Amino acid sequence: MKNRLLITLALITCSANTLAHQQLYKVRVVESKPVYEYVSIEKPVKYCSDIHVNYNSQKASHIIAGSVVGGTIGNLASSRKSRDGATLVGAIIGGVIGSQIADTRPNRHPSTQCITRYESTEKVRVITGYNYWYRIKGKTYQGFSVEQPSAYVTLRKF
C-alpha cells in the first residue's frame, strides 16, 4: 500500500515537471534597447539656528513659597474669629506675589534648532530596464526585462 502511494506521488511529480518543461522554450533576441528615465537626485541640507528659550522652572516653587508665607502672616495677624479667612486671603495674596517675583526673573537658555531639507540638485538619466524584440514563426514580438537580455530568452507558453 505504501509503495503504491510513493510510486503514484513520484509519477505525478515527474509528469508535472515534464509538463512545466514542455511549456518553456528559448527564442533568439533580435534587438534590445535600454529604457531610460530621468531621476532627480536630492541632497540633504541641514539648516541650524540659535534660539533662546525663556522658561522659569522655579515659578511653581515661588508660588508655593509665597502662599505659605502669606498664609502664615494672615494667620498670625488675625483674630481668632477670622483666622481661617485671613489665612486663605493671605495665602492667595502671597501666591500672586510669588508668581510676580518669578516672572521678573526669567531664565534664558540658548538652544540650537536644526531642520533638514532635501534640495533637488540635478537630474540624472538612469536605465530602468530593456525593451527587446524576438521572432517566432515569422512574427516579431516585444518584451521587457529589468536586466539586459542575453542572446536567447526563455519564454513560457500560454
Side-chain angles (χ1 to χ4, degrees):
M1 182 70 179
K2 288 183 183 178
N3 289 338
R4 283 185 180 176
L5 182 64
L6 290 175
I7 292 172
T8 305
L9 287 174
L11 287 173
I12 290 172
T13 305
C14 290
S15 63
N17 285 340
T18 306
L19 288 174
H21 286 296
Q22 286 178 352
Q23 292 178 350
L24 299 178
Y25 56 95
K26 282 186 170 183
V27 293
R28 180 170 167 73
V29 175
V30 178
E31 182 183 0
S32 69
K33 289 185 180 179
V35 176
Y36 294 99
E37 184 177 312
Y38 285 94
V39 179
S40 179
I41 303 294
E42 293 184 344
K43 181 176 108 177
V45 179
K46 193 174 189 179
Y47 296 99
C48 294
S49 61
D50 292 331
I51 58 172
H52 293 282
V53 179
N54 293 330
Y55 67 93
N56 193 343
S57 61
Q58 299 174 346
K59 186 170 185 172
S61 61
H62 281 93
I63 293 171
I64 292 170
S67 296
V68 170
V69 171
T72 305
I73 292 172
N75 190 354
L76 293 175
S78 64
S79 64
R80 286 187 179 202
K81 288 183 178 180
S82 63
R83 188 167 282 167
D84 291 339
T87 303
L88 181 62
V89 171
I92 292 172
I93 292 171
V96 170
I97 292 172
S99 174
Q100 290 175 350
I101 290 172
D103 287 340
T104 60
R105 295 190 232 163
N107 295 328
R108 295 189 89 200
H109 297 283
S111 179
T112 303
Q113 182 180 21
C114 294
I115 298 171
T116 302
R117 291 189 180 138
Y118 292 89
E119 295 181 353
S120 182
T121 57
E122 60 182 294
K123 290 199 176 220
V124 179
R125 189 172 130 175
V126 295
I127 296 175
T128 58
Y130 294 86
N131 285 328
Y132 62 90
W133 291 265
Y134 58 94
R135 211 173 259 157
I136 298 176
K137 296 180 183 178
K139 293 185 179 180
T140 304
Y141 299 95
Q142 180 181 355
F144 178 81
S145 174
V146 176
E147 296 180 10
Q148 185 173 11
S150 59
Y152 291 91
V153 291
T154 304
L155 301 176
R156 189 171 35 165
K157 240 183 202 179
F158 291 105

